[in-house]
Amino acid sequence: DLQVEQTVATLGLLHLLAISGLHVGIVLALCYGGLKWAGVTRETAAGVALLFLPLYALLTGAGAPVIRASLVGGLVLTAVIFRQWKDSLHFLAISCALMLLWNPYWLFAPGFQLSFAVTVGIVVAVPPLAARLPFGPLWLRQTFAVTLVAQLCSFPLLIYYFNAFSPL
């Protein structure tokens, strides 16, 4: 319903209804983790999940955040298969380069900018921030740090493109 959609957008919660990189991560984790739980080897589970990834990306509409998450997920799964791990920033840089080679105009898309800004912020800033927070167990500090970093990284872009910000 249009009125419900406008209310959700006004509250700043519309991103919860959109297919994003988080959803790709959840689906990959369920696929890979489910196969591992069923007794499949790490490499086979990664290979099956890797084959499923393009189909999921196409089914969700292949927006910039989904493509970013799918490329990074594919690189991670490939690293699992070949037992050659690189850090997440390398995977993000490779996915950014591939996406811009495919469509250079994505650089100007708010979804592309938000996806990379928030993801790079989380990868770079969450571990040191969570280690310095003076309260609670590690999982609570990490949760708080992810929320804070995501808000700080997305704030300038949300104000610029949408003239609105909701702390929700």
Side-chain angles (χ1 to χ4, degrees):
D1 183 30
L2 183 59
Q3 184 177 3
V4 173
E5 184 178 337
Q6 288 174 339
T7 302
V8 172
T10 302
L11 291 173
L13 300 173
L14 195 57
H15 66 280
L16 295 175
L17 302 177
I19 300 296
S20 66
L22 176 64
H23 296 97
V24 174
I26 290 170
V27 168
L28 273 183
L30 289 173
C31 181
Y32 178 80
L35 289 168
K36 289 278 296 155
W37 180 78
V40 175
T41 66
R42 174 183 7 180
E43 293 79 12
T44 303
V48 171
L50 188 58
L51 292 173
F52 175 71
L53 196 54
L55 175 65
Y56 182 75
L58 289 173
L59 288 174
T60 60
V66 172
I67 296 295
R68 187 230 0 115
S70 297
L71 285 170
V72 171
L75 290 168
V76 168
L77 291 169
T78 303
V80 167
I81 292 168
F82 292 108
R83 298 176 184 248
Q84 297 292 318
W85 184 253
K86 298 289 184 197
D87 67 82
S88 300
L89 285 178
H90 283 101
F91 294 147
L92 283 168
I94 292 168
S95 68
C96 182
L98 290 172
M99 289 178 71
L100 291 176
L101 282 171
W102 179 262
N103 182 357
Y105 293 106
W106 264 341
L107 183 61
F108 306 107
F112 178 91
Q113 293 174 12
L114 280 164
S115 180
F116 277 97
V118 171
T119 304
V120 169
I122 288 171
V123 168
V124 171
V126 166
L129 178 60
R132 287 186 175 88
L133 291 174
F135 60 86
L138 181 61
W139 68 267
L140 182 62
R141 290 181 285 150
Q142 287 175 332
T143 301
F144 181 79
V146 166
T147 302
L148 181 62
V149 168
Q151 292 286 346
L152 290 173
C153 290
S154 64
F155 179 78
L157 293 167
L158 291 173
I159 293 298
Y160 179 77
Y161 284 112
F162 306 110
N163 300 315
F165 176 77
S166 173
L168 293 176

